[in-house]
Short mmCIF file of all heavy atoms in Angstrom, two decimals:
data_model
loop_
_atom_site.label_atom_id
_atom_site.label_comp_id
_atom_site.label_asym_id
_atom_site.label_seq_id
_atom_site.Cartn_x
_atom_site.Cartn_y
_atom_site.Cartn_z
N ARG A 18 29.44 1.23 18.10
CA ARG A 18 29.41 1.55 19.53
C ARG A 18 30.06 0.43 20.34
O ARG A 18 30.80 0.68 21.29
CB ARG A 18 27.97 1.78 20.00
CG ARG A 18 27.38 3.09 19.55
CD ARG A 18 26.15 3.46 20.37
NE ARG A 18 25.09 2.49 20.18
CZ ARG A 18 24.13 2.59 19.26
NH1 ARG A 18 24.11 3.63 18.43
NH2 ARG A 18 23.19 1.67 19.16
N ARG A 19 29.78 -0.81 19.97
CA ARG A 19 30.39 -1.94 20.69
C ARG A 19 31.90 -1.93 20.50
O ARG A 19 32.65 -2.14 21.45
CB ARG A 19 29.79 -3.26 20.19
CG ARG A 19 30.43 -4.47 20.86
CD ARG A 19 29.94 -5.78 20.31
NE ARG A 19 30.70 -6.88 20.86
CZ ARG A 19 30.41 -7.55 21.96
NH1 ARG A 19 29.32 -7.22 22.64
NH2 ARG A 19 31.16 -8.54 22.39
N ARG A 20 32.34 -1.71 19.27
CA ARG A 20 33.78 -1.70 19.00
C ARG A 20 34.47 -0.60 19.80
O ARG A 20 35.55 -0.81 20.38
CB ARG A 20 34.03 -1.51 17.51
CG ARG A 20 35.50 -1.56 17.11
CD ARG A 20 35.66 -1.70 15.61
NE ARG A 20 34.95 -0.65 14.89
CZ ARG A 20 33.86 -0.85 14.15
NH1 ARG A 20 33.34 -2.07 14.05
NH2 ARG A 20 33.28 0.14 13.51
N LEU A 21 33.85 0.57 19.87
CA LEU A 21 34.42 1.68 20.63
C LEU A 21 34.48 1.33 22.12
O LEU A 21 35.48 1.59 22.79
CB LEU A 21 33.60 2.95 20.41
CG LEU A 21 34.07 4.20 21.15
CD1 LEU A 21 35.48 4.57 20.72
CD2 LEU A 21 33.11 5.36 20.90
N LYS A 22 33.39 0.74 22.63
CA LYS A 22 33.34 0.36 24.04
C LYS A 22 34.40 -0.67 24.39
O LYS A 22 35.12 -0.54 25.40
CB LYS A 22 31.95 -0.16 24.37
CG LYS A 22 31.77 -0.64 25.81
CD LYS A 22 30.37 -1.19 26.03
CE LYS A 22 30.20 -1.74 27.44
NZ LYS A 22 28.84 -2.30 27.65
N LYS A 23 34.51 -1.71 23.56
CA LYS A 23 35.48 -2.77 23.83
C LYS A 23 36.91 -2.27 23.67
O LYS A 23 37.81 -2.66 24.44
CB LYS A 23 35.24 -3.95 22.89
CG LYS A 23 33.90 -4.66 23.11
CD LYS A 23 33.83 -5.28 24.49
CE LYS A 23 32.53 -6.02 24.70
NZ LYS A 23 32.44 -6.65 26.05
N THR A 24 37.14 -1.38 22.71
CA THR A 24 38.48 -0.81 22.53
C THR A 24 38.87 0.04 23.73
O THR A 24 40.00 -0.03 24.21
CB THR A 24 38.53 0.04 21.24
OG1 THR A 24 38.22 -0.78 20.11
CG2 THR A 24 39.91 0.63 21.05
N ALA A 25 37.91 0.84 24.22
CA ALA A 25 38.19 1.67 25.39
C ALA A 25 38.47 0.81 26.62
O ALA A 25 39.38 1.11 27.41
CB ALA A 25 37.01 2.60 25.66
N LEU A 26 37.71 -0.28 26.78
CA LEU A 26 37.92 -1.16 27.92
C LEU A 26 39.29 -1.83 27.84
O LEU A 26 40.02 -1.90 28.84
CB LEU A 26 36.83 -2.21 27.98
CG LEU A 26 36.91 -3.22 29.13
CD1 LEU A 26 36.87 -2.51 30.47
CD2 LEU A 26 35.77 -4.24 29.03
N ALA A 27 39.65 -2.32 26.65
CA ALA A 27 40.96 -2.95 26.47
C ALA A 27 42.08 -1.95 26.71
O ALA A 27 43.11 -2.28 27.32
CB ALA A 27 41.07 -3.55 25.08
N ALA A 28 41.88 -0.71 26.24
CA ALA A 28 42.90 0.33 26.46
C ALA A 28 43.06 0.62 27.95
O ALA A 28 44.19 0.79 28.44
CB ALA A 28 42.52 1.59 25.70
N PHE A 29 41.93 0.68 28.67
CA PHE A 29 42.00 0.93 30.11
C PHE A 29 42.77 -0.17 30.83
O PHE A 29 43.63 0.09 31.66
CB PHE A 29 40.59 1.06 30.68
CG PHE A 29 40.54 1.14 32.18
CD1 PHE A 29 40.87 2.32 32.83
CD2 PHE A 29 40.18 0.04 32.95
CE1 PHE A 29 40.85 2.40 34.22
CE2 PHE A 29 40.15 0.11 34.32
CZ PHE A 29 40.49 1.29 34.97
N VAL A 30 42.44 -1.43 30.49
CA VAL A 30 43.13 -2.56 31.11
C VAL A 30 44.62 -2.52 30.77
O VAL A 30 45.48 -2.79 31.62
CB VAL A 30 42.50 -3.89 30.65
CG1 VAL A 30 43.32 -5.08 31.16
CG2 VAL A 30 41.07 -4.00 31.16
N GLY A 31 44.94 -2.17 29.52
CA GLY A 31 46.34 -2.07 29.12
C GLY A 31 47.08 -0.98 29.88
O GLY A 31 48.23 -1.16 30.28
N VAL A 32 46.42 0.17 30.09
CA VAL A 32 47.05 1.27 30.83
C VAL A 32 47.29 0.86 32.28
O VAL A 32 48.34 1.17 32.86
CB VAL A 32 46.17 2.53 30.76
CG1 VAL A 32 46.65 3.59 31.75
CG2 VAL A 32 46.18 3.10 29.35
N VAL A 33 46.31 0.16 32.87
CA VAL A 33 46.52 -0.35 34.23
C VAL A 33 47.71 -1.30 34.27
O VAL A 33 48.54 -1.26 35.19
CB VAL A 33 45.25 -1.05 34.75
CG1 VAL A 33 45.51 -1.73 36.09
CG2 VAL A 33 44.11 -0.06 34.89
N GLY A 34 47.82 -2.14 33.24
CA GLY A 34 48.96 -3.04 33.15
C GLY A 34 50.28 -2.29 33.06
O GLY A 34 51.28 -2.68 33.68
N LEU A 35 50.31 -1.22 32.29
CA LEU A 35 51.52 -0.40 32.20
C LEU A 35 51.84 0.25 33.55
O LEU A 35 53.01 0.41 33.91
CB LEU A 35 51.35 0.67 31.12
CG LEU A 35 51.26 0.15 29.68
CD1 LEU A 35 51.04 1.32 28.71
CD2 LEU A 35 52.54 -0.61 29.30
N GLY A 36 50.78 0.62 34.27
CA GLY A 36 51.00 1.17 35.61
C GLY A 36 51.66 0.16 36.53
O GLY A 36 52.57 0.49 37.29
N PHE A 37 51.21 -1.09 36.46
CA PHE A 37 51.84 -2.15 37.25
C PHE A 37 53.28 -2.39 36.79
O PHE A 37 54.15 -2.74 37.59
CB PHE A 37 51.04 -3.43 37.17
CG PHE A 37 49.79 -3.44 38.01
CD1 PHE A 37 48.55 -3.70 37.44
CD2 PHE A 37 49.85 -3.16 39.36
CE1 PHE A 37 47.40 -3.69 38.22
CE2 PHE A 37 48.71 -3.15 40.15
CZ PHE A 37 47.48 -3.41 39.58
N THR A 38 53.53 -2.20 35.49
CA THR A 38 54.91 -2.33 34.99
C THR A 38 55.80 -1.28 35.61
O THR A 38 56.94 -1.57 36.01
CB THR A 38 54.92 -2.20 33.46
OG1 THR A 38 54.08 -3.21 32.88
CG2 THR A 38 56.33 -2.35 32.91
N VAL A 39 55.29 -0.05 35.70
CA VAL A 39 56.06 1.02 36.35
C VAL A 39 56.33 0.67 37.80
O VAL A 39 57.44 0.86 38.32
CB VAL A 39 55.31 2.36 36.24
CG1 VAL A 39 56.01 3.44 37.06
CG2 VAL A 39 55.21 2.79 34.78
N GLY A 40 55.30 0.13 38.49
CA GLY A 40 55.49 -0.28 39.88
C GLY A 40 56.53 -1.38 40.01
O GLY A 40 57.34 -1.38 40.93
N CYS A 41 56.52 -2.32 39.07
CA CYS A 41 57.51 -3.40 39.07
C CYS A 41 58.91 -2.85 38.93
O CYS A 41 59.83 -3.25 39.66
CB CYS A 41 57.19 -4.38 37.94
SG CYS A 41 58.45 -5.64 37.69
N VAL A 42 59.09 -1.92 37.97
CA VAL A 42 60.42 -1.32 37.76
C VAL A 42 60.87 -0.56 39.00
O VAL A 42 62.03 -0.66 39.42
CB VAL A 42 60.39 -0.40 36.52
CG1 VAL A 42 61.70 0.38 36.40
CG2 VAL A 42 60.14 -1.21 35.26
N PHE A 43 59.95 0.19 39.60
CA PHE A 43 60.29 0.97 40.80
C PHE A 43 60.76 0.06 41.93
O PHE A 43 61.81 0.29 42.54
CB PHE A 43 59.07 1.78 41.24
CG PHE A 43 59.24 2.47 42.57
CD1 PHE A 43 59.95 3.65 42.65
CD2 PHE A 43 58.72 1.92 43.73
CE1 PHE A 43 60.13 4.29 43.88
CE2 PHE A 43 58.89 2.54 44.95
CZ PHE A 43 59.60 3.73 45.03
N PHE A 44 59.98 -0.97 42.24
CA PHE A 44 60.35 -1.87 43.33
C PHE A 44 61.61 -2.67 43.01
O PHE A 44 62.44 -2.92 43.89
CB PHE A 44 59.20 -2.82 43.66
CG PHE A 44 58.16 -2.22 44.56
CD1 PHE A 44 56.93 -1.82 44.06
CD2 PHE A 44 58.41 -2.05 45.90
CE1 PHE A 44 55.97 -1.27 44.89
CE2 PHE A 44 57.46 -1.49 46.75
CZ PHE A 44 56.23 -1.09 46.24
N ALA A 45 61.75 -3.07 41.74
CA ALA A 45 62.94 -3.83 41.37
C ALA A 45 64.20 -2.98 41.54
O ALA A 45 65.22 -3.46 42.08
CB ALA A 45 62.83 -4.31 39.92
N ARG A 46 64.15 -1.74 41.11
CA ARG A 46 65.32 -0.85 41.28
C ARG A 46 65.62 -0.62 42.75
O ARG A 46 66.79 -0.60 43.17
CB ARG A 46 65.05 0.49 40.59
CG ARG A 46 65.05 0.42 39.08
CD ARG A 46 64.81 1.78 38.46
NE ARG A 46 65.86 2.72 38.84
CZ ARG A 46 65.86 4.01 38.49
NH1 ARG A 46 64.87 4.50 37.76
NH2 ARG A 46 66.84 4.80 38.87
N GLU A 47 64.57 -0.48 43.55
CA GLU A 47 64.75 -0.25 44.98
C GLU A 47 65.41 -1.46 45.65
O GLU A 47 66.36 -1.32 46.43
CB GLU A 47 63.39 0.04 45.62
CG GLU A 47 63.46 0.55 47.03
CD GLU A 47 62.10 0.95 47.55
OE1 GLU A 47 61.21 0.06 47.63
OE2 GLU A 47 61.91 2.13 47.89
N VAL A 48 64.92 -2.67 45.32
CA VAL A 48 65.47 -3.88 45.91
C VAL A 48 66.91 -4.10 45.45
O VAL A 48 67.79 -4.46 46.25
CB VAL A 48 64.58 -5.09 45.55
CG1 VAL A 48 65.27 -6.39 45.93
CG2 VAL A 48 63.23 -4.98 46.24
N LEU A 49 67.18 -3.90 44.17
CA LEU A 49 68.54 -4.08 43.66
C LEU A 49 69.51 -3.09 44.27
O LEU A 49 70.67 -3.42 44.57
CB LEU A 49 68.53 -3.96 42.13
CG LEU A 49 67.84 -5.09 41.36
CD1 LEU A 49 67.79 -4.76 39.88
CD2 LEU A 49 68.56 -6.41 41.59
N GLU A 50 69.06 -1.86 44.47
CA GLU A 50 69.91 -0.85 45.09
C GLU A 50 70.20 -1.21 46.54
O GLU A 50 71.33 -1.01 47.03
CB GLU A 50 69.24 0.52 45.00
CG GLU A 50 70.02 1.65 45.67
CD GLU A 50 71.40 1.86 45.09
OE1 GLU A 50 71.66 1.44 43.95
OE2 GLU A 50 72.26 2.44 45.80
N GLU A 51 69.21 -1.74 47.24
CA GLU A 51 69.44 -2.17 48.62
C GLU A 51 70.49 -3.29 48.68
O GLU A 51 71.39 -3.26 49.52
CB GLU A 51 68.13 -2.65 49.24
CG GLU A 51 67.13 -1.54 49.54
CD GLU A 51 65.77 -2.09 49.94
OE1 GLU A 51 65.56 -3.32 49.85
OE2 GLU A 51 64.91 -1.29 50.35
#
Side-chain angles (χ1 to χ4, degrees):
R18 287 197 296 268
R19 178 185 172 90
R20 183 166 55 250
L21 180 61
K22 177 182 177 181
K23 295 297 182 180
T24 300
L26 180 59
F29 173 76
V30 174
V32 169
V33 173
L35 293 178
F37 283 125
T38 302
V39 173
C41 172
V42 172
F43 172 80
F44 277 106
R46 289 181 61 184
E47 192 174 61
V48 170
L49 291 174
E50 177 60 21
E51 289 171 352

